[in-house]
Amino acid sequence: MTSSIAQSIVQIDGSFCEGGGQLLRNAVALSALLSKPISIFNVRQNRRPPGLRRQHEAGINLAASICSADTKGVEVDSTMIDFRPGPIQLPKTLSADPGTAGSTTLLLQIAFPCLLFSPSAHQAESESQEAPYHFGISPTLTVHRRGYYPKGGGSVLCTVPAIPGPLFPVVLTERGEVNCDPGECPPQRMVSDAHRTLVASGIPARKISITAVRERDQDVVGAGGGILLWAETDKGCLIAGSAVSIKEKKPKRVGEEAAKELVRNLSHGGCVDEYLQDQMIIFLALAQGTSIVKTGPLTDHTRTAIHIAQRMTGARFHLDENGPDSTTITCEGIGFTPSSR
């Protein structure tokens, strides 16, 4: 390796702020997308045990297959990895399987930014997209099978469309009024306790609608359940709360947890919840122009995502923390396109 190549490698301390898997996923995704080699040390230093788990290994290998990357240290328990990306070559069908009851959405988190852009996709002209709230992105996600802990075995298909140019910026500064609080969950005890908790928080019962859903036996692996609640506003915002059922947790507690999480995210008046807050940082950095998002208290995951996005892309972020419960994130994006690689 020549000294000029060595100097171009971005060195990243994996113990920064939240020091977990999100830092790893964001850094690798941007490395693949921007053709910037990275070395990450102290991988998942703030987790016990530290180092890569099988889900992280599968995610990095998925990103490597997207951009024909050379890797080093991508194995379980490793606390240092090297990722040297090559060209992204799409469209093609990709698959990843951590072999455990890990999160399919966390695998998607590392792959999705890479899949949005490729020279072939960029050249495919499509109709003008006018959906600034969604950055102009319209993916589809189909759940073929759910796999419950500890067996796993779920299957999800995500189809990512070609985009004709850089992502649109977003402006989310007014949440608006909550229209309704729909949700999906089994069994009935989760429904009743979630409903009771929402009403106790001050949400009118007439605005709450929860539907119980039971999957067919042939569509699941293992036994389990969960509850997803979300609030829709007249400004197009979605605020969510969720909880997963496990053997040691009573249905009553599952329903209460999801409802309390939703209420907590509604209480701060932001336009996104605590989980979407950090997930959108990569896309703010890549979008063209100025994005402004009002949210609740800034999470460590979001601070980490901003740190990595600034290091990797050069996008400029400004944080206006208006007290402990309100933050406005402003980002001047880089207007990334495949030709700017």
Side-chain angles (χ1 to χ4, degrees), residues 279-293:
Q279 297 288 325
M280 67 192 314
I281 295 301
I282 279 184
F283 305 105
L284 298 180
L286 295 173
Q288 180 171 292
T290 303
S291 294
I292 306 173
V293 180

Side-chain angles (χ1 to χ4, degrees), residues 97-134:
D97 183 2
T100 65
S103 170
T104 52
T105 53
L106 292 186
L107 289 176
L108 189 58
Q109 184 188 33
I110 197 171
F112 185 75
C114 311
L115 297 173
L116 283 175
F117 301 96
S118 75
S120 58
H122 184 61
Q123 292 166 5
E125 294 296 330
S126 62
E127 296 180 2
S128 175
Q129 301 179 58
E130 298 178 357
Y133 179 79
H134 299 290

Side-chain angles (χ1 to χ4, degrees), residues 180-205:
C180 60
D181 301 280
E184 295 182 357
C185 75
Q188 187 58 40
R189 184 60 189 271
M190 290 185 196
V191 174
S192 59
D193 283 296
H195 190 282
R196 178 181 52 77
T197 303
L198 291 172
V199 171
S201 74
I203 297 175

